[in-house]
Amino acid sequence: MNRRFMIVGAGLATLAACAPAARRIGPDGLPLPGVYHVNDNDPNEVMFRFLDGLNTLRSAAGAPAVAFDTKLNAAAATHSRDMAVQNRPWHFGSDGSSPLDRARRVGFTGRIMGETISETYETEMETLAAWMSEADTRSVLLDRTATLIGFAWFQENSGKIWWTFVTGTTSAAPALGTQG
């Protein structure tokens, strides 16, 4: 008799483990989003998922593919952290630096084309989609003259993510278009 209870109990425990976790429902009847923790994912996975998504969108728009530049990634990371410290999404650093200044500080000698930033709780792909939905940020993402990108983020303990995306080329002539 005890053996049957153990077998049935183990079967029920197995079925319970297969059931989807209970989700909180919002006032609109839709599931409430969970907090996306970038640090729970492999940073390279996040970076390359973003790059693949961006290059897919660029290809569909007839723009050439772009590649990561380690110096632009460093400039983007610096700005993401600085925006969190300032607690505001904007293109100027706490020291008054511009995207061009930040790129030069890390040794980038090419041309800066633009910068796009975001303060959000969304994933990198949701952020990319939001940037694509606005004409000004979409123009930075799809700039046909850009060949290099920098992409980075800083996530606060609350889950808020500060994303920074920078575009550039190997040409040294200065140019800049920044969009929020």
PDB file of all heavy atoms in Angstrom, residues 14-43:
ATOM      1  N   THR A  14       6.125  14.654 -10.495  1.00  0.00           N
ATOM      2  CA  THR A  14       6.666  14.828 -11.838  1.00  0.00           C
ATOM      3  C   THR A  14       5.735  15.679 -12.689  1.00  0.00           C
ATOM      4  O   THR A  14       6.176  16.590 -13.390  1.00  0.00           O
ATOM      5  CB  THR A  14       6.895  13.460 -12.512  1.00  0.00           C
ATOM      6  OG1 THR A  14       7.778  12.696 -11.693  1.00  0.00           O
ATOM      7  CG2 THR A  14       7.471  13.614 -13.905  1.00  0.00           C
ATOM      8  N   LEU A  15       4.449  15.412 -12.632  1.00  0.00           N
ATOM      9  CA  LEU A  15       3.486  16.208 -13.393  1.00  0.00           C
ATOM     10  C   LEU A  15       3.460  17.655 -12.914  1.00  0.00           C
ATOM     11  O   LEU A  15       3.356  18.580 -13.717  1.00  0.00           O
ATOM     12  CB  LEU A  15       2.088  15.598 -13.283  1.00  0.00           C
ATOM     13  CG  LEU A  15       1.863  14.314 -14.074  1.00  0.00           C
ATOM     14  CD1 LEU A  15       0.473  13.763 -13.781  1.00  0.00           C
ATOM     15  CD2 LEU A  15       2.032  14.551 -15.551  1.00  0.00           C
ATOM     16  N   ALA A  16       3.551  17.862 -11.615  1.00  0.00           N
ATOM     17  CA  ALA A  16       3.548  19.227 -11.078  1.00  0.00           C
ATOM     18  C   ALA A  16       4.770  19.999 -11.564  1.00  0.00           C
ATOM     19  O   ALA A  16       4.690  21.198 -11.830  1.00  0.00           O
ATOM     20  CB  ALA A  16       3.511  19.194  -9.557  1.00  0.00           C
ATOM     21  N   ALA A  17       5.885  19.324 -11.689  1.00  0.00           N
ATOM     22  CA  ALA A  17       7.099  19.985 -12.163  1.00  0.00           C
ATOM     23  C   ALA A  17       6.965  20.384 -13.625  1.00  0.00           C
ATOM     24  O   ALA A  17       7.596  21.341 -14.067  1.00  0.00           O
ATOM     25  CB  ALA A  17       8.305  19.066 -11.968  1.00  0.00           C
ATOM     26  N   CYS A  18       6.143  19.685 -14.376  1.00  0.00           N
ATOM     27  CA  CYS A  18       5.948  19.996 -15.790  1.00  0.00           C
ATOM     28  C   CYS A  18       4.961  21.136 -16.013  1.00  0.00           C
ATOM     29  O   CYS A  18       4.914  21.718 -17.081  1.00  0.00           O
ATOM     30  CB  CYS A  18       5.441  18.768 -16.537  1.00  0.00           C
ATOM     31  SG  CYS A  18       6.657  17.441 -16.606  1.00  0.00           S
ATOM     32  N   ALA A  19       4.143  21.427 -15.032  1.00  0.00           N
ATOM     33  CA  ALA A  19       3.134  22.481 -15.186  1.00  0.00           C
ATOM     34  C   ALA A  19       3.811  23.840 -15.255  1.00  0.00           C
ATOM     35  O   ALA A  19       4.818  24.079 -14.594  1.00  0.00           O
ATOM     36  CB  ALA A  19       2.168  22.440 -14.001  1.00  0.00           C
ATOM     37  N   PRO A  20       3.276  24.735 -16.082  1.00  0.00           N
ATOM     38  CA  PRO A  20       3.873  26.069 -16.164  1.00  0.00           C
ATOM     39  C   PRO A  20       3.747  26.803 -14.833  1.00  0.00           C
ATOM     40  O   PRO A  20       2.779  26.612 -14.100  1.00  0.00           O
ATOM     41  CB  PRO A  20       3.069  26.766 -17.260  1.00  0.00           C
ATOM     42  CG  PRO A  20       1.802  25.995 -17.389  1.00  0.00           C
ATOM     43  CD  PRO A  20       2.106  24.595 -16.926  1.00  0.00           C
ATOM     44  N   ALA A  21       4.743  27.621 -14.547  1.00  0.00           N
ATOM     45  CA  ALA A  21       4.725  28.403 -13.315  1.00  0.00           C
ATOM     46  C   ALA A  21       3.568  29.399 -13.373  1.00  0.00           C
ATOM     47  O   ALA A  21       3.228  29.926 -14.424  1.00  0.00           O
ATOM     48  CB  ALA A  21       6.041  29.143 -13.146  1.00  0.00           C
ATOM     49  N   ALA A  22       2.946  29.640 -12.232  1.00  0.00           N
ATOM     50  CA  ALA A  22       1.848  30.604 -12.166  1.00  0.00           C
ATOM     51  C   ALA A  22       2.384  31.990 -12.495  1.00  0.00           C
ATOM     52  O   ALA A  22       3.418  32.396 -11.985  1.00  0.00           O
ATOM     53  CB  ALA A  22       1.234  30.586 -10.774  1.00  0.00           C
ATOM     54  N   ARG A  23       1.699  32.695 -13.372  1.00  0.00           N
ATOM     55  CA  ARG A  23       2.121  34.036 -13.776  1.00  0.00           C
ATOM     56  C   ARG A  23       1.123  35.032 -13.233  1.00  0.00           C
ATOM     57  O   ARG A  23      -0.076  34.779 -13.219  1.00  0.00           O
ATOM     58  CB  ARG A  23       2.186  34.137 -15.294  1.00  0.00           C
ATOM     59  CG  ARG A  23       3.266  33.218 -15.853  1.00  0.00           C
ATOM     60  CD  ARG A  23       3.513  33.497 -17.277  1.00  0.00           C
ATOM     61  NE  ARG A  23       4.199  34.787 -17.381  1.00  0.00           N
ATOM     62  CZ  ARG A  23       4.631  35.281 -18.519  1.00  0.00           C
ATOM     63  NH1 ARG A  23       4.455  34.630 -19.626  1.00  0.00           N
ATOM     64  NH2 ARG A  23       5.231  36.450 -18.565  1.00  0.00           N
ATOM     65  N   ARG A  24       1.631  36.166 -12.818  1.00  0.00           N
ATOM     66  CA  ARG A  24       0.758  37.234 -12.358  1.00  0.00           C
ATOM     67  C   ARG A  24       0.102  37.870 -13.572  1.00  0.00           C
ATOM     68  O   ARG A  24       0.738  38.068 -14.598  1.00  0.00           O
ATOM     69  CB  ARG A  24       1.561  38.256 -11.577  1.00  0.00           C
ATOM     70  CG  ARG A  24       2.092  37.666 -10.279  1.00  0.00           C
ATOM     71  CD  ARG A  24       2.844  38.639  -9.407  1.00  0.00           C
ATOM     72  NE  ARG A  24       2.657  40.029  -9.764  1.00  0.00           N
ATOM     73  CZ  ARG A  24       3.584  40.971  -9.625  1.00  0.00           C
ATOM     74  NH1 ARG A  24       4.745  40.672  -9.129  1.00  0.00           N
ATOM     75  NH2 ARG A  24       3.353  42.213  -9.978  1.00  0.00           N
ATOM     76  N   ILE A  25      -1.164  38.196 -13.424  1.00  0.00           N
ATOM     77  CA  ILE A  25      -1.940  38.779 -14.506  1.00  0.00           C
ATOM     78  C   ILE A  25      -2.205  40.251 -14.193  1.00  0.00           C
ATOM     79  O   ILE A  25      -2.585  40.606 -13.079  1.00  0.00           O
ATOM     80  CB  ILE A  25      -3.286  38.025 -14.685  1.00  0.00           C
ATOM     81  CG1 ILE A  25      -3.055  36.540 -14.925  1.00  0.00           C
ATOM     82  CG2 ILE A  25      -4.118  38.659 -15.790  1.00  0.00           C
ATOM     83  CD1 ILE A  25      -2.289  36.221 -16.188  1.00  0.00           C
ATOM     84  N   GLY A  26      -2.011  41.111 -15.201  1.00  0.00           N
ATOM     85  CA  GLY A  26      -2.239  42.538 -15.044  1.00  0.00           C
ATOM     86  C   GLY A  26      -3.709  42.892 -15.198  1.00  0.00           C
ATOM     87  O   GLY A  26      -4.536  42.035 -15.537  1.00  0.00           O
ATOM     88  N   PRO A  27      -4.070  44.159 -14.985  1.00  0.00           N
ATOM     89  CA  PRO A  27      -5.469  44.583 -15.082  1.00  0.00           C
ATOM     90  C   PRO A  27      -6.045  44.438 -16.493  1.00  0.00           C
ATOM     91  O   PRO A  27      -7.260  44.366 -16.663  1.00  0.00           O
ATOM     92  CB  PRO A  27      -5.435  46.057 -14.658  1.00  0.00           C
ATOM     93  CG  PRO A  27      -4.014  46.473 -14.722  1.00  0.00           C
ATOM     94  CD  PRO A  27      -3.184  45.237 -14.609  1.00  0.00           C
ATOM     95  N   ASP A  28      -5.160  44.344 -17.496  1.00  0.00           N
ATOM     96  CA  ASP A  28      -5.631  44.167 -18.868  1.00  0.00           C
ATOM     97  C   ASP A  28      -5.834  42.696 -19.225  1.00  0.00           C
ATOM     98  O   ASP A  28      -6.193  42.358 -20.345  1.00  0.00           O
ATOM     99  CB  ASP A  28      -4.661  44.811 -19.851  1.00  0.00           C
ATOM    100  CG  ASP A  28      -3.248  44.257 -19.741  1.00  0.00           C
ATOM    101  OD1 ASP A  28      -3.005  43.371 -18.891  1.00  0.00           O
ATOM    102  OD2 ASP A  28      -2.373  44.722 -20.495  1.00  0.00           O
ATOM    103  N   GLY A  29      -5.586  41.797 -18.251  1.00  0.00           N
ATOM    104  CA  GLY A  29      -5.758  40.372 -18.487  1.00  0.00           C
ATOM    105  C   GLY A  29      -4.543  39.691 -19.089  1.00  0.00           C
ATOM    106  O   GLY A  29      -4.539  38.483 -19.278  1.00  0.00           O
ATOM    107  N   LEU A  30      -3.500  40.449 -19.370  1.00  0.00           N
ATOM    108  CA  LEU A  30      -2.275  39.884 -19.938  1.00  0.00           C
ATOM    109  C   LEU A  30      -1.265  39.602 -18.843  1.00  0.00           C
ATOM    110  O   LEU A  30      -1.260  40.279 -17.803  1.00  0.00           O
ATOM    111  CB  LEU A  30      -1.681  40.855 -20.960  1.00  0.00           C
ATOM    112  CG  LEU A  30      -2.549  41.153 -22.176  1.00  0.00           C
ATOM    113  CD1 LEU A  30      -1.908  42.236 -23.037  1.00  0.00           C
ATOM    114  CD2 LEU A  30      -2.776  39.891 -22.984  1.00  0.00           C
ATOM    115  N   PRO A  31      -0.385  38.628 -19.055  1.00  0.00           N
ATOM    116  CA  PRO A  31       0.640  38.345 -18.046  1.00  0.00           C
ATOM    117  C   PRO A  31       1.556  39.547 -17.846  1.00  0.00           C
ATOM    118  O   PRO A  31       1.919  40.228 -18.802  1.00  0.00           O
ATOM    119  CB  PRO A  31       1.426  37.167 -18.629  1.00  0.00           C
ATOM    120  CG  PRO A  31       0.587  36.627 -19.726  1.00  0.00           C
ATOM    121  CD  PRO A  31      -0.306  37.725 -20.196  1.00  0.00           C
ATOM    122  N   LEU A  32       1.911  39.802 -16.593  1.00  0.00           N
ATOM    123  CA  LEU A  32       2.850  40.877 -16.298  1.00  0.00           C
ATOM    124  C   LEU A  32       4.256  40.425 -16.678  1.00  0.00           C
ATOM    125  O   LEU A  32       4.619  39.263 -16.481  1.00  0.00           O
ATOM    126  CB  LEU A  32       2.817  41.231 -14.809  1.00  0.00           C
ATOM    127  CG  LEU A  32       1.532  41.878 -14.323  1.00  0.00           C
ATOM    128  CD1 LEU A  32       1.553  42.000 -12.798  1.00  0.00           C
ATOM    129  CD2 LEU A  32       1.333  43.238 -14.950  1.00  0.00           C
ATOM    130  N   PRO A  33       5.058  41.327 -17.226  1.00  0.00           N
ATOM    131  CA  PRO A  33       6.425  40.927 -17.609  1.00  0.00           C
ATOM    132  C   PRO A  33       7.286  40.699 -16.375  1.00  0.00           C
ATOM    133  O   PRO A  33       7.080  41.310 -15.335  1.00  0.00           O
ATOM    134  CB  PRO A  33       6.925  42.133 -18.413  1.00  0.00           C
ATOM    135  CG  PRO A  33       6.112  43.280 -17.933  1.00  0.00           C
ATOM    136  CD  PRO A  33       4.780  42.720 -17.534  1.00  0.00           C
ATOM    137  N   GLY A  34       8.241  39.822 -16.526  1.00  0.00           N
ATOM    138  CA  GLY A  34       9.227  39.607 -15.477  1.00  0.00           C
ATOM    139  C   GLY A  34      10.410  40.520 -15.706  1.00  0.00           C
ATOM    140  O   GLY A  34      10.541  41.124 -16.768  1.00  0.00           O
ATOM    141  N   VAL A  35      11.254  40.628 -14.724  1.00  0.00           N
ATOM    142  CA  VAL A  35      12.451  41.457 -14.870  1.00  0.00           C
ATOM    143  C   VAL A  35      13.486  40.644 -15.630  1.00  0.00           C
ATOM    144  O   VAL A  35      13.781  39.496 -15.297  1.00  0.00           O
ATOM    145  CB  VAL A  35      13.005  41.885 -13.495  1.00  0.00           C
ATOM    146  CG1 VAL A  35      14.319  42.631 -13.647  1.00  0.00           C
ATOM    147  CG2 VAL A  35      11.993  42.750 -12.768  1.00  0.00           C
ATOM    148  N   TYR A  36      14.030  41.241 -16.673  1.00  0.00           N
ATOM    149  CA  TYR A  36      15.060  40.616 -17.493  1.00  0.00           C
ATOM    150  C   TYR A  36      16.409  40.936 -16.878  1.00  0.00           C
ATOM    151  O   TYR A  36      16.776  42.098 -16.744  1.00  0.00           O
ATOM    152  CB  TYR A  36      14.968  41.180 -18.921  1.00  0.00           C
ATOM    153  CG  TYR A  36      16.050  40.705 -19.860  1.00  0.00           C
ATOM    154  CD1 TYR A  36      16.173  39.364 -20.195  1.00  0.00           C
ATOM    155  CD2 TYR A  36      16.932  41.604 -20.437  1.00  0.00           C
ATOM    156  CE1 TYR A  36      17.142  38.937 -21.082  1.00  0.00           C
ATOM    157  CE2 TYR A  36      17.910  41.187 -21.317  1.00  0.00           C
ATOM    158  CZ  TYR A  36      18.010  39.849 -21.640  1.00  0.00           C
ATOM    159  OH  TYR A  36      18.976  39.438 -22.514  1.00  0.00           O
ATOM    160  N   HIS A  37      17.132  39.920 -16.465  1.00  0.00           N
ATOM    161  CA  HIS A  37      18.448  40.116 -15.873  1.00  0.00           C
ATOM    162  C   HIS A  37      19.513  39.747 -16.899  1.00  0.00           C
ATOM    163  O   HIS A  37      19.731  38.579 -17.180  1.00  0.00           O
ATOM    164  CB  HIS A  37      18.615  39.284 -14.601  1.00  0.00           C
ATOM    165  CG  HIS A  37      17.779  39.785 -13.480  1.00  0.00           C
ATOM    166  ND1 HIS A  37      18.107  40.893 -12.739  1.00  0.00           N
ATOM    167  CD2 HIS A  37      16.607  39.350 -12.991  1.00  0.00           C
ATOM    168  CE1 HIS A  37      17.180  41.118 -11.832  1.00  0.00           C
ATOM    169  NE2 HIS A  37      16.249  40.193 -11.964  1.00  0.00           N
ATOM    170  N   VAL A  38      20.168  40.758 -17.438  1.00  0.00           N
ATOM    171  CA  VAL A  38      21.204  40.534 -18.443  1.00  0.00           C
ATOM    172  C   VAL A  38      22.326  39.689 -17.856  1.00  0.00           C
ATOM    173  O   VAL A  38      22.870  38.822 -18.516  1.00  0.00           O
ATOM    174  CB  VAL A  38      21.768  41.869 -18.974  1.00  0.00           C
ATOM    175  CG1 VAL A  38      22.866  41.624 -19.988  1.00  0.00           C
ATOM    176  CG2 VAL A  38      20.666  42.693 -19.590  1.00  0.00           C
ATOM    177  N   ASN A  39      22.664  39.916 -16.599  1.00  0.00           N
ATOM    178  CA  ASN A  39      23.787  39.207 -15.995  1.00  0.00           C
ATOM    179  C   ASN A  39      23.522  37.714 -15.846  1.00  0.00           C
ATOM    180  O   ASN A  39      24.441  36.949 -15.638  1.00  0.00           O
ATOM    181  CB  ASN A  39      24.125  39.821 -14.634  1.00  0.00           C
ATOM    182  CG  ASN A  39      24.603  41.249 -14.778  1.00  0.00           C
ATOM    183  OD1 ASN A  39      25.146  41.621 -15.805  1.00  0.00           O
ATOM    184  ND2 ASN A  39      24.386  42.057 -13.765  1.00  0.00           N
ATOM    185  N   ASP A  40      22.261  37.305 -15.959  1.00  0.00           N
ATOM    186  CA  ASP A  40      21.942  35.888 -15.907  1.00  0.00           C
ATOM    187  C   ASP A  40      22.286  35.195 -17.226  1.00  0.00           C
ATOM    188  O   ASP A  40      22.304  33.995 -17.316  1.00  0.00           O
ATOM    189  CB  ASP A  40      20.454  35.666 -15.611  1.00  0.00           C
ATOM    190  CG  ASP A  40      20.097  36.074 -14.192  1.00  0.00           C
ATOM    191  OD1 ASP A  40      21.029  36.259 -13.378  1.00  0.00           O
ATOM    192  OD2 ASP A  40      18.907  36.204 -13.899  1.00  0.00           O
ATOM    193  N   ASN A  41      22.505  35.991 -18.245  1.00  0.00           N
ATOM    194  CA  ASN A  41      22.833  35.456 -19.568  1.00  0.00           C
ATOM    195  C   ASN A  41      24.322  35.636 -19.833  1.00  0.00           C
ATOM    196  O   ASN A  41      24.985  36.458 -19.223  1.00  0.00           O
ATOM    197  CB  ASN A  41      22.044  36.207 -20.643  1.00  0.00           C
ATOM    198  CG  ASN A  41      20.557  36.025 -20.472  1.00  0.00           C
ATOM    199  OD1 ASN A  41      20.071  34.914 -20.491  1.00  0.00           O
ATOM    200  ND2 ASN A  41      19.841  37.114 -20.275  1.00  0.00           N
ATOM    201  N   ASP A  42      24.817  34.883 -20.780  1.00  0.00           N
ATOM    202  CA  ASP A  42      26.195  35.050 -21.211  1.00  0.00           C
ATOM    203  C   ASP A  42      26.286  36.385 -21.951  1.00  0.00           C
ATOM    204  O   ASP A  42      25.561  36.599 -22.923  1.00  0.00           O
ATOM    205  CB  ASP A  42      26.560  33.889 -22.127  1.00  0.00           C
ATOM    206  CG  ASP A  42      27.950  33.990 -22.708  1.00  0.00           C
ATOM    207  OD1 ASP A  42      28.726  34.872 -22.277  1.00  0.00           O
ATOM    208  OD2 ASP A  42      28.266  33.181 -23.595  1.00  0.00           O
ATOM    209  N   PRO A  43      27.163  37.310 -21.507  1.00  0.00           N
ATOM    210  CA  PRO A  43      27.255  38.615 -22.177  1.00  0.00           C
ATOM    211  C   PRO A  43      27.533  38.496 -23.677  1.00  0.00           C
ATOM    212  O   PRO A  43      26.993  39.271 -24.464  1.00  0.00           O
ATOM    213  CB  PRO A  43      28.413  39.311 -21.466  1.00  0.00           C
ATOM    214  CG  PRO A  43      28.544  38.618 -20.165  1.00  0.00           C
ATOM    215  CD  PRO A  43      28.073  37.210 -20.384  1.00  0.00           C
TER     216      PRO A  43
END
